[in-house]
Amino acid sequence: MIGLLTGVEIAVMGGDARQLEVIKKLAELDAKISLIGFEQLNHPFAGASKEKINEMDFSSIDAVILPIPGTDLEGKIETIFSNEEVILKSELLSKTPPHCTIYSGISNAYLDSITKKVNRKLVKLFERDDVAIYNSIPTVEGTIMMAIQHTDFTIHGSRVMVLGLGRTGMSVARSFHVLGAKVKVGARKSEHIARITEMGMEPFFLDNLEEVVKDVDICINTIPVNILTAKVLAKMPTHTLIIDLASKPGGTDFRYAEKRGIKALLAPGLPGIVAPKTAGKILANVLSQLLQEDLLKRKEKTE
Ligand code: NAP
């Protein structure tokens, strides 16, 4: 049960349609919200006011919410609803109170370094198991959509290979299995091999990948390292469709795949593409819970 966020001051800086769900939820919970990089947004939210980054008072801000990618390597923040340039600098963060927490989807060297420099806590939401597992739901739906769009055969009855049994791989494998595909899953840990067997699918150790790819119709990769190398692709049938879900640059040798005539698609950010509203709600729910916990901790300290 999430309590209200009355009295909590939050700066939401930039972002896309997903962030609107976050703002909506925080507004419902009675937080005081400053929107930076939203001047083209027509929809009013109760308790939210549009601000300019240079004119804003950060001295009472309890939390800063950044878009999923955080910042780029120069500190620039993506703003879909604004033409304004929004740059996050350590000088700005240093104006926030010491308890102010910075929330982002992921981070990079720049964001890590400025938050560290000013000693503010940085929470990377996409590293959380709950967020990754919830996000696997729209990811799976997007993967099914791509498999349908890019093949001329049914998923049912086709030979599908899933690489990796992490939070995304498990959901992908299970869903294609349920749709009637013959699913093989590749992993490197014996406990994963055991789990794949328990789930009623065919497991294989990644060391044997070259052997196992020989009869695959659809290959879905979730391993963020170079796994579908030229050597592996050389053994793959040319009709195989590769859907690479791993974060950029993916785990496929795309140059070699193209040379061999294998269709290989890098498919980043599927939740935000196929279901921005759900993807936003996933973040909104987790964020409101975390902000609530922050608030309770602060109250306990002052009592
Ligand atoms: P995860 O839970 O950490 O799973 C990663 C998997 O990769 C695990 O099975 C892990 O196996 C395996 N792995 C990692 N390094 C490996 C290596 N060197 N050799 C062999 N296996 C290795 O991550 P996730 O949440 O499922 O996400 C997987 C990837 O998908 C990430 O890159 C993520 O950014 C991306 N993603 C993309 C989308 C999209 O829309 N395209 C959506 C969600 C996530 P071990 O347990 O043995 O390490």
Side-chain angles (χ1 to χ4, degrees):
M1 173 65 195
I2 294 171
L4 289 176
L5 293 170
T6 309
V8 177
E9 296 191 30
I10 302 168
V12 180
M13 300 177 81
D16 56 25
R18 288 173 283 187
Q19 225 61 333
L20 301 185
E21 290 299 320
V22 171
I23 298 165
K24 192 172 141 203
K25 176 95 180 186
L26 300 179
E28 276 166 17
L29 294 174
D30 198 28
K32 183 169 179 248
I33 308 162
S34 303
L35 302 175
I36 296 163
F38 286 93
E39 86 268 5
Q40 289 164 5
L41 183 71
N42 291 325
H43 186 85
F45 288 100
S49 60
K50 294 180 191 172
E51 305 283 349
K52 290 219 178 313
I53 189 163
N54 297 326
E55 294 163 12
M56 175 144 162
D57 175 15
F58 280 87
S59 64
S60 54
I61 291 292
D62 300 302
V64 173
I65 299 180
L66 301 177
I68 317 301
T71 67
D72 71 7
L73 289 169
E74 274 84 46
K76 197 168 168 226
I77 292 174
E78 219 173 64
T79 54
I80 304 293
F81 300 101
S82 164
N83 292 325
E84 226 178 290
E85 187 156 84
V86 180
I87 312 264
L88 187 67
K89 295 195 176 135
S90 58
E91 297 81 59
L92 186 146
L93 286 182
S94 68
K95 292 180 185 151
T96 61
H99 71 259
C100 177
T101 304
I102 321 300
Y103 294 93
S104 177
I106 55 173
S107 187
N108 59 22
Y110 178 86
L111 187 56
D112 282 346
S113 86
I114 60 164
T115 46
K116 201 168 163 203
K117 189 172 166 195
V118 298
N119 201 18
R120 296 293 181 274
K121 186 173 153 197
L122 172 67
V123 177
K124 293 170 255 183
L125 296 168
F126 275 25
E127 283 187 2
R128 292 175 56 93
D129 278 340
D130 51 4
V131 173
I133 293 169
Y134 284 128
N135 254 333
S136 76
I137 301 168
T139 304
V140 164
E141 292 191 10
T143 310
I144 294 170
M145 175 190 80
M146 292 185 76
I148 293 171
Q149 276 173 349
H150 294 279
T151 57
D152 54 7
F153 48 84
T154 57
I155 292 170
H156 184 277
S158 64
R159 287 160 301 192
V160 173
M161 167 182 280
V162 178
L163 300 177
L165 192 76
R167 297 161 301 187
T168 309
M170 170 139 0
S171 307
V172 170
R174 201 199 335 263
S175 305
F176 278 79
H177 179 61
V178 168
L179 285 174
K182 296 177 193 115
V183 181
K184 288 183 211 183
V185 187
R188 60 177 172 180
K189 290 182 182 148
S190 65
E191 61 266 37
H192 285 171
I193 298 292
R195 179 59 71 196
I196 297 159
T197 310
E198 176 274 322
M199 288 164 74
M201 294 169 233
E202 192 185 320
F204 69 90
F205 277 106
L206 289 166
D207 292 344
N208 302 325
L209 184 56
E210 268 181 57
E211 269 306 301
V212 188
V213 291
K214 282 178 183 157
D215 64 348
V216 172
D217 300 315
I218 301 172
C219 176
I220 302 161
N221 177 45
T222 73
I223 301 178
V225 300
N226 184 21
I227 185 112
L228 292 168
T229 57
K231 245 177 124 195
V232 173
L233 296 176
K235 303 273 171 61
M236 204 177 245
T238 51
H239 79 268
T240 307
L241 169 70
I242 298 173
I243 303 174
D244 197 339
L245 299 177
S247 51
K248 280 180 192 164
T252 308
D253 185 336
F254 287 96
R255 187 202 61 84
Y256 185 77
E258 192 180 354
K259 195 172 163 199
R260 205 171 130 64
I262 296 173
K263 194 187 255 186
L265 308 166
L266 185 62
L270 286 175
I273 296 168
V274 298
K277 205 176 175 93
T278 308
K281 280 189 174 154
I282 291 168
L283 295 170
N285 288 339
V286 173
L287 265 170
S288 37
Q289 202 153 351
L290 294 175
L291 289 165
Q292 182 66 30
E293 283 166 20
D294 280 354
L295 179 64
L296 285 176
K297 268 187 218 149
R298 278 204 304 283
K299 274 189 181 157
E300 275 166 19
K301 261 191 198 164
T302 51
E303 271 163 20

